[in-house]
Amino acid sequence: MPESLRGKGVIAGIAMGKVMIVGQNLDGYLKNYKPEDQAKEAGKIEEALQAVAEMLQGNVRTLQEKNMPEQAAIMEAHRMMAQDPMLSGSMMEKVGELGSAPEAVLAAAGESAAMFEQMEDAYFRERAVDIRDVGKRIAKYILGVKEPAMGDGAVILCGYEIEPSVIANIPTEKIAGVLLGAGSTTCHAVIIAKARAIPTVVGIGDDIQKIADRDDVIIDGERGDILIDPSEETRETYEEKLAKQQELKSYYAKLAPLPAVTTDGAHVTLAANIGTHMDVDTALTYGCEGVGLFRSEFVFMGRKDIPNEEDQFKAYKEAVEKCQGKLCVIRTMDIGGDKPLPYLNIPKEDNPFLGCRAVRISLHRRDLFLPQLKAILRAGVYGKVAIMVPMIINVDEFKKVREFFEEAKVELTHEGKAYSDSVQLGIMVETPAAAVMAPILAKYVDFFSIGTNDLVQYTLAVDRGNHNISYLYSHFNPAVIMLIQRTIQAGIDKGIWVGMCGEMASDPYAAVILLAMGISELSMSAPSIPKVKEKIRSVSMERAKEVLAEVMKMEDGNEIKEYLHKAL
Ligand code: PEP
Ligand code: MG
């Protein structure tokens, strides 16, 4: 029977395909799980233990065949845990107390893990993580939560919450769409989907339970529609829409190799914002000329502990190599605010956006900052790299950053590790303080990149995520425009390049006036590149400057927006 649901469309586009239920957070599934009698629940545990052990055995064989002995050994250890009689005995005891098979499995694994955590020997302490992982696998089997094992075609990923690492680890061409029960539009799963232009609907709520694994669905990522088992007629209508979408895509694809130049030859670099190295491939297909913002927080997220220098080096190196000699700007971790990281144990703050975040954390935590700088400097050997520091508010902070940067190089030299000496060190201008101080800061930094997402919020005192006051949140507010112009001019005066990596860069109308102000680079989620390029290729620099002169006379953001839409 056809059924339709509604969520919030956050990434436009039509997608059709089979659902794959994913999601590592089991809370929603546990809440909706209906236990049967004790004997049945115990039977489910037995069946799950058997199935998971067989599955792990299969993994071990595959990994051995692929000549990956270390990973095969880990999976073999997991298989042995799944068949450990002590663990299964404890699960059976717990099912008597708790009544629910998945809760019993998780509780038993949790208790056993806690015992390992008490042990003196570090090796045994680390096994706690493995036991929890195995427990989760068994619980998932009982709850019917599938591991994302991909087949031939692309699927529509569906889950109440999906961990960013789950999406990040699936190749783009295997994901047709994303459906999320939770409502956040700025969660990292959504940010990754956006970088890859995957149609996405969020905020489906508990209705998400109505969608089953392998259901046929159509989603409209603009309107937020979800059609389950659609009729033949509906399917035909959407197939036509999909064909139009493909036509537009091929038109944009033709723009990809063309430069972003005005009709009178002025060029601006169009770069991509990425969250993982995998986003670079997609970004290149949209014609990006480099990466203007690699949000390194993603390397820190979706894991239980701090990635060490080596882990980070691998992640950055891969992105840098994929950039094929084009500049890759890696932002040092921008944790805090709307991007918490539980394992850093940052105390709860009343105003996290005004609290201990971004560079403020980095400067307090040399154990985090130095390895990150070293990892990026090492990745610099494999291409062209720049380091960008978020949330700077004064010269002193930057001077301290520069000291760390030099110290990182000294350490690498002592350790005999190769690194690049030509990595640029710049800052994001995303606080009003940095924009006002731009003429001074420009003496110390190699470049500026304007982060309008935060600059708008801090200049106008408007929370970027608060829908009730979103009518006030505008990058065309003259106060914002003046700060941006001041920053660009400061860069020009001191001979450093200035880019922009906030959402404003993806607005084609804004791009024209930024170009006239003298911006060198615009960085955005890759799917926005074609429409910005199309606009730039349609105007002359002379016209852009005339338009800017008019804009600078205006007193109101709405007036500016309306004027730009008419004039261009
Ligand atoms: C910004 O603030 O404009 C920016 C690009 O950074 P983020 O959105 O990650 O805060
Ligand atoms: Mg920011």
Side-chain angles (χ1 to χ4, degrees):
M1 266 290 281
E3 177 158 22
S4 68
L5 301 174
R6 193 84 193 255
K8 185 169 180 211
V10 286
I11 302 173
I14 306 291
M16 300 171 86
K18 288 223 181 287
V19 164
M20 174 181 275
I21 304 283
V22 288
Q24 304 297 304
N25 184 337
L26 301 183
D27 293 352
Y29 297 96
L30 289 168
K31 207 173 84 196
N32 286 294
Y33 179 74
K34 306 254 176 313
E36 296 175 87
D37 65 42
Q38 194 183 324
K40 286 219 173 93
E41 291 301 290
K44 284 181 201 169
I45 296 179
E46 263 169 28
E47 187 197 321
L49 286 168
Q50 176 77 20
V52 167
E54 277 168 20
M55 205 156 68
L56 288 164
Q57 180 75 60
N59 285 355
V60 173
R61 264 197 305 272
T62 316
L63 290 164
Q64 280 166 342
E65 278 159 22
K66 287 189 178 164
N67 201 16
M68 298 161 105
E70 290 95 354
Q71 289 179 53
I74 296 170
M75 287 301 111
E76 174 59 11
H78 282 205
R79 184 197 61 76
M80 283 164 71
M81 286 175 195
Q83 292 192 313
D84 174 7
M86 284 250 291
L87 190 62
S88 55
S90 159
M91 288 173 184
M92 292 307 171
E93 259 174 44
K94 294 269 171 224
V95 83
E97 287 166 32
L98 301 169
S100 144
E103 301 266 14
V105 166
L106 292 171
E111 255 179 30
S112 171
M115 264 162 46
F116 274 92
E117 267 157 2
Q118 305 298 324
M119 292 187 182
E120 288 276 308
D121 188 307
Y123 174 82
F124 284 111
R125 275 203 308 275
E126 277 164 23
R127 300 290 69 78
V129 178
D130 296 284
I131 294 186
R132 286 215 172 83
D133 204 354
V134 171
K136 214 164 171 185
R137 251 183 211 256
I138 300 165
K140 277 199 221 162
Y141 181 88
I142 300 169
L143 292 165
V145 183
K146 293 276 187 310
E147 298 289 342
M150 308 306 298
D152 288 340
V155 292
I156 294 181
L157 298 181
C158 175
Y160 193 83
E161 273 178 6
I162 303 180
E163 282 188 356
S165 54
V166 173
I167 296 195
N169 287 321
I170 302 175
T172 308
E173 67 277 8
K174 296 283 183 193
I175 313 175
V178 174
L179 296 174
L180 281 179
S184 172
T185 53
T186 50
C187 73
H188 285 101
V190 173
I191 292 181
I192 298 178
K194 197 167 180 185
R196 304 196 198 167
I198 302 168
T200 297
V201 178
V202 305
I204 302 157
D206 287 341
D207 271 356
I208 197 136
Q209 302 295 338
K210 295 183 183 159
I211 308 171
D213 200 48
R214 305 206 55 75
D215 267 356
D216 266 318
V217 295
I218 296 176
I219 72 175
D220 180 334
E222 184 151 27
R223 293 169 44 88
D225 292 331
I226 303 151
L227 310 167
I228 307 169
D229 285 332
S231 67
E232 207 39 53
E233 205 185 332
T234 312
R235 188 181 292 280
E236 276 165 22
T237 315
Y238 276 89
E239 265 159 9
E240 274 170 33
K241 288 189 186 184
L242 206 55
K244 287 211 181 92
Q245 187 172 298
Q246 288 306 348
E247 262 172 43
L248 192 63
K249 243 187 171 168
S250 355
Y251 167 68
Y252 280 158
K254 289 200 190 97
L255 279 179
L258 303 177
V261 283
T262 57
T263 53
D264 46 0
H267 175 258
V268 62
T269 302
L270 297 187
N273 293 351
I274 62 163
T276 87
H277 63 84
M278 283 201 277
D279 299 340
V280 182
D281 294 333
T282 317
L284 289 169
T285 66
Y286 284 99
C288 81
E289 298 167 88
V291 165
L293 167 62
F294 177 171
R295 289 184 159 98
S296 73
E297 307 79 80
F298 287 95
V299 179
F300 289 73
M301 289 173 169
R303 35 183 304 145
K304 298 182 185 74
D305 48 12
I306 301 167
N308 61 22
E309 180 192 316
E310 213 50 41
D311 291 342
Q312 291 189 58
F313 166 61
K314 281 187 201 139
Y316 305 144
K317 173 175 175 262
E318 224 158 319
V320 171
E321 280 178 336
K322 280 176 187 273
C323 284
Q324 303 159 11
K326 299 181 177 91
L327 181 65
C328 181
V329 183
I330 303 175
R331 174 170 75 182
T332 57
M333 55 165 208
D334 188 12
I335 299 296
D338 61 339
K339 302 168 204 146
L341 200 58
Y343 59 75
L344 288 190
N345 296 321
I346 299 167
K348 200 172 152 21
E349 298 174 306
D350 286 341
N351 291 303
F353 270 112
L354 305 179
C356 194
R357 58 170 296 202
V359 69
R360 299 170 186 182
I361 298 181
S362 298
L363 290 177
H364 282 115
R365 294 282 306 261
R366 61 184 288 117
D367 61 318
L368 294 179
F369 200 30
L370 261 190
Q372 177 162 44
L373 293 173
K374 286 164 75 180
I376 304 176
L377 283 163
R378 288 173 61 196
V381 172
Y382 301 87
K384 206 168 152 201
V385 172
I387 296 178
M388 167 159 87
V389 188
M391 276 293 286
I392 289 281
I393 59 158
N394 61 32
V395 173
D396 184 56
E397 280 178 331
F398 186 73
K399 283 185 178 166
K400 289 191 176 120
V401 167
R402 173 92 53 205
E403 278 169 26
F404 272 109
F405 181 67
E406 296 307 329
E407 197 181 331
K409 291 184 191 174
V410 172
E411 279 198 11
L412 287 171
T413 309
H414 280 299
E415 290 163 10
K417 292 178 184 159
Y419 69 90
S420 163
D421 212 10
S422 52
V423 171
Q424 301 176 42
L425 184 63
I427 61 166
M428 288 191 73
V429 175
E430 56 179 344
T431 63
V436 171
M437 290 294 283
I440 313 287
L441 283 162
K443 292 196 288 189
Y444 299 92
V445 304
D446 297 330
F447 66 92
F448 287 146
S449 180
I450 305 172
T452 50
N453 304 345
D454 279 317
L455 185 62
V456 173
Q457 108 162 325
Y458 292 129
T459 305
L460 306 179
V462 176
D463 180 344
R464 61 195 259 186
N466 185 337
H467 296 298
N468 296 330
I469 47 170
S470 60
Y471 67 97
L472 292 171
Y473 185 95
S474 163
H475 50 243
F476 288 128
N477 183 299
V480 176
I481 299 276
M482 283 184 209
L483 287 178
I484 290 170
Q485 193 182 37
R486 179 180 174 84
T487 306
I488 296 173
Q489 195 54 49
I492 293 170
D493 292 346
K494 292 282 181 315
I496 59 167
W497 66 271
V498 182
M500 177 177 282
C501 59
E503 282 294 309
M504 183 181 189
S506 63
D507 176 339
Y509 297 94
V512 174
I513 55 170
L514 293 167
L515 192 71
M517 289 180 191
I519 204 141
S520 312
E521 181 212 61
L522 295 169
S523 190
M524 62 203 83
S525 65
S528 301
I529 291 176
K531 65 179 198 299
V532 172
K533 189 184 278 184
E534 189 181 31
K535 183 61 83 190
I536 288 169
R537 291 176 62 84
S538 75
V539 288
S540 66
M541 187 58 135
E542 199 187 342
R543 176 73 184 133
K545 285 195 168 152
E546 274 169 23
V547 169
L548 175 63
E550 285 306 309
V551 164
M552 294 314 286
K553 288 185 215 153
M554 294 178 182
E555 297 175 0
D556 178 78
N558 289 330
E559 187 190 354
I560 294 176
K561 189 172 170 185
E562 272 169 34
Y563 165 72
L564 288 174
H565 281 250
K566 269 198 210 116
L568 298 168

